[in-house]
Amino acid sequence: MKTIGLIGGMSFESSLVYYRMINEAVRNRLGGLNSAEVILHSVDFARIVALQKAGRWDCAAKALSDVARGLEAAGADTVLICTNTMHLVADAVADAVKVPLINIIDETAAALTAAGCRKPLLLATRYTMEHGFYAERMARHGIEIMVPDGQGRTRTHEVIFDELCQGQVKDSSRADLRLLIEAAKADGADAVILGCTEICLILDPADLPLPGFDSTAIHAAAAVDFALADRQEERRVA
């Protein structure tokens, strides 16, 4: 089994989900008491958020690159940035290490393509919805991203940072997010991406007005596929 390196803490609420999903998937595939080989470096989210607000993405890239190098030195065979927003600096982090970085946008795009979805609504932080990096990378896969209107983007951002990242899950906020999905469906969206790793805490992708794609679950599953690839090959050979 290969070792998965997680850059977590952004926020720790979603890092907990990653850890659980990865280990449950390994146990389900291998049985018994098997669990994943994982190295987690959880950063201080407040420091990263301060860099986001200041627009110091260069400093954020350096901080996460340092973490990635540390994970590699500790024995990680792959690195995951456990947040969609910080994939704004994913290329810089990938360049800082020799092991592969599993990109959450590429993995989500692959899941959408496999399902035949080409025009999804993106629910995410304001940075992810507005900075262009997410839509541009999705466009490489032939996928056209839709986002809520200005008021909807503000509301989604508030739900993520003021509530979900602080452990609060409110029915009123769930209702607001569902209304955004309904509006996007009326405008031609064929799916919805839970494009913040905390949104799975408030929305069930199987119970939405549109087909839901949980980026956290997709990313975690990709990590497990990578970690167990050699074992699966050994079984085929045997």
Side-chain angles (χ1 to χ4, degrees):
M1 189 189 309
K2 293 179 180 177
T3 300
I4 300 167
L6 302 178
I7 305 177
M10 300 173 285
S11 68
F12 75 77
E13 298 286 349
S14 61
S15 299
L16 291 168
V17 178
Y18 269 93
Y19 187 75
R20 176 177 54 78
M21 284 184 169
I22 288 170
N23 279 289
E24 286 179 347
V26 169
R27 181 178 61 192
N28 289 341
R29 293 197 197 182
L30 302 182
L33 297 176
N34 282 286
S35 58
E37 296 280 356
V38 175
I39 304 171
L40 167 64
H41 184 136
S42 186
V43 303
D44 178 6
F45 194 30
R47 181 168 63 97
I48 300 300
V49 170
L51 294 174
Q52 292 174 348
K53 290 180 176 179
R56 295 305 308 270
W57 298 101
D58 55 337
C59 295
K62 181 182 185 306
L64 297 195
S65 294
D66 289 344
V67 173
R69 281 189 286 265
L71 290 170
E72 182 180 42
D77 297 301
T78 186
V79 171
L80 282 73
I81 303 172
C82 299
T83 162
N84 283 272
T85 296
M86 295 313 297
H87 274 70
L88 191 153
V89 300
D91 288 344
V93 176
D95 289 343
V97 292
K98 296 182 177 64
V99 298
L101 182 144
I102 299 177
N103 189 293
I104 197 170
I105 307 174
D106 292 340
E107 297 299 333
T108 303
L112 286 160
T113 299
C117 299
R118 292 293 179 181
K119 195 174 182 182
L121 170 70
L122 173 64
L123 293 179
T125 67
R126 182 178 293 281
Y127 307 114
T128 304
M129 292 187 287
E130 295 182 356
H131 274 57
F133 72 96
Y134 196 100
E136 289 168 8
R137 191 150 188 134
M138 277 288 179
R140 299 180 194 176
H141 299 274
I143 295 171
E144 179 186 356
I145 292 296
M146 295 176 64
V147 297
D149 62 15
Q151 184 177 354
R153 294 196 300 274
T154 296
R155 178 63 180 135
T156 304
H157 189 85
E158 290 172 349
V159 170
I160 293 168
F161 276 97
D162 297 342
E163 299 173 19
L164 300 178
C165 288
Q166 299 184 46
Q168 301 175 34
V169 179
K170 299 180 179 180
D171 290 339
S172 59
S173 297
R174 181 182 295 108
D176 288 345
L177 295 177
R178 289 183 65 91
L179 285 175
L180 295 177
I181 298 170
E182 291 279 11
K185 181 178 180 180
D187 287 340
D190 60 7
V192 56
I193 301 170
L194 309 189
C196 169
T197 52
E198 284 79 24
I199 293 184
C200 62
L201 300 173
I202 194 169
L203 293 179
D204 178 354
D207 184 30
L208 296 173
L210 287 168
F213 291 80
D214 178 4
S215 62
T216 308
I218 292 167
H219 205 199
V224 173
D225 286 343
F226 178 90
L228 298 183
D230 289 347
R231 284 199 174 204
Q232 292 168 347
E233 182 61 31
E234 288 172 3
R235 288 183 178 182
R236 284 194 291 269
V237 172

